[in-house]
Amino acid sequence: MTAIVPSRAVLFAAAVLAASACGARADDVSPWVTEQHSAVRLLAGSRSGGVLLGGIAFQLQPGWKTYWRTPGDSGVPPRFDFSKSENVEAVTVLWPAPQAFPDGAGGTSLGYKEQVVLPLRIVTKHADKPVTLRLTVDYAVCEKLCIPVVASPELEFASVASTQDGALAAALDTVPVPASVGDNPVTIRDVVRKGDKDVEVDVVAPTGAKVSLFVEGPTPEWALPVPKEIKGAPAGLRRFSFALDGLPSGAQAAGAALKFTLVGPDKAYEFNVTLE
């Protein structure tokens, strides 16, 4: 007998179909917009008041990934256009903490594998009128090579009580929480420049805990490297270092407002630090 093993593409298609059949009402989710290696759709939270919660769900074929707002040493961040929506004043995309993975060229990329939901905070123009969210998303999916994808899902927010509230709440729990230096059991203790080119960051974390640190500049034009953990930290601390590379032409490091994302074993935090 010859065994027939389904291809990864077939398994991916089956996973998307299974996700579509999990009991969600049609008015709570848009249809999946699929291509060979990924699928994307919109989720609607309960309709209540002038600020709504929604989400963008991505499904990725095994072995493929897509990128965070700052992709790391290589990669392409997704771009979102909600301008064709109806009765929508503004949309804010909230970003779950990313994973770090080798980019295949000796560097580190930041993003997501398998599946992710990006929560959306939607401000309506008129709280008592219908809302239709129309999205054009331009993103990349990558294995060894990257493939650009453009998808345009749309969804009307109609349910007083949505079946997607639980999924959206779970997605919100993966978004880093704003924090101040020194505030939490997992926290940044200090950020220090070492000469003209390097920055060291001391992190408080439980012994043996897995922690990751990512850094962003004041604008998307900054392309700072991913901090790496180094030896030499005092007892009870973890020390990370990165070089002040990837600054836009004419930009100065001194006085720059940097954003650090610290991913701990149970929660992620976001810190704003002005570099001295």
Side-chain angles (χ1 to χ4, degrees), residues 227-263:
K228 304 295 184 184
E229 188 167 2
I230 61 173
K231 295 181 179 180
L237 297 177
R238 310 272 285 274
R239 180 163 289 171
F240 292 79
S241 177
F242 64 95
L244 288 168
D245 294 332
L247 277 64
S249 177
Q252 299 295 321
L258 303 185
K259 180 183 292 184
F260 291 92
T261 298
L262 177 61
V263 184

Side-chain angles (χ1 to χ4, degrees), residues 55-142:
I56 309 170
F58 291 88
Q59 287 271 1
L60 303 167
Q61 186 178 348
W64 291 74
K65 56 186 178 285
T66 194
Y67 293 99
W68 192 42
R69 64 184 179 223
T70 299
D73 296 325
S74 63
V76 180
R79 297 286 182 253
F80 307 102
D81 181 359
F82 296 96
S83 62
K84 295 181 180 179
S85 300
E86 295 181 17
N87 191 25
V88 172
E89 182 70 32
V91 180
T92 301
V93 179
L94 305 177
W95 296 86
Q99 305 173 48
F101 33 77
D103 65 0
T108 301
S109 291
L110 306 177
Y112 311 102
K113 295 182 177 181
E114 296 181 358
Q115 59 185 5
V116 66
V117 175
L118 308 186
L120 302 174
R121 183 175 289 116
I122 303 157
V123 179
T124 64
K125 294 179 179 178
H126 305 284
D128 59 343
K129 294 184 178 181
V131 172
T132 300
L133 196 65
R134 294 190 177 95
L135 167 65
T136 297
V137 54
D138 189 338
Y139 66 104
V141 289
C142 303

Side-chain angles (χ1 to χ4, degrees), residues 115-208:
Q115 59 185 5
V116 66
V117 175
L118 308 186
L120 302 174
R121 183 175 289 116
I122 303 157
V123 179
T124 64
K125 294 179 179 178
H126 305 284
D128 59 343
K129 294 184 178 181
V131 172
T132 300
L133 196 65
R134 294 190 177 95
L135 167 65
T136 297
V137 54
D138 189 338
Y139 66 104
V141 289
C142 303
E143 190 184 39
K144 295 179 180 178
L145 298 174
C146 285
I147 298 173
V149 181
V150 177
S152 297
E154 67 174 80
L155 178 61
E156 181 179 355
F157 280 60
S159 297
V160 174
S162 170
T163 62
Q164 296 303 298
D165 286 345
L168 292 171
L172 278 175
D173 283 343
T174 67
V175 174
V177 176
S180 298
V181 170
D183 267 1
N184 301 289
V186 177
T187 187
I188 290 177
R189 170 68 61 83
D190 204 5
V191 178
V192 179
R193 289 185 64 179
K194 307 296 287 187
D196 293 332
K197 289 293 294 179
D198 296 311
V199 176
E200 290 185 357
V201 183
D202 284 345
V203 169
V204 179
T207 301

Side-chain angles (χ1 to χ4, degrees), residues 217-232:
T219 68
E221 289 71 35
W222 286 57
L224 296 170
V226 178
K228 304 295 184 184
E229 188 167 2
I230 61 173
K231 295 181 179 180

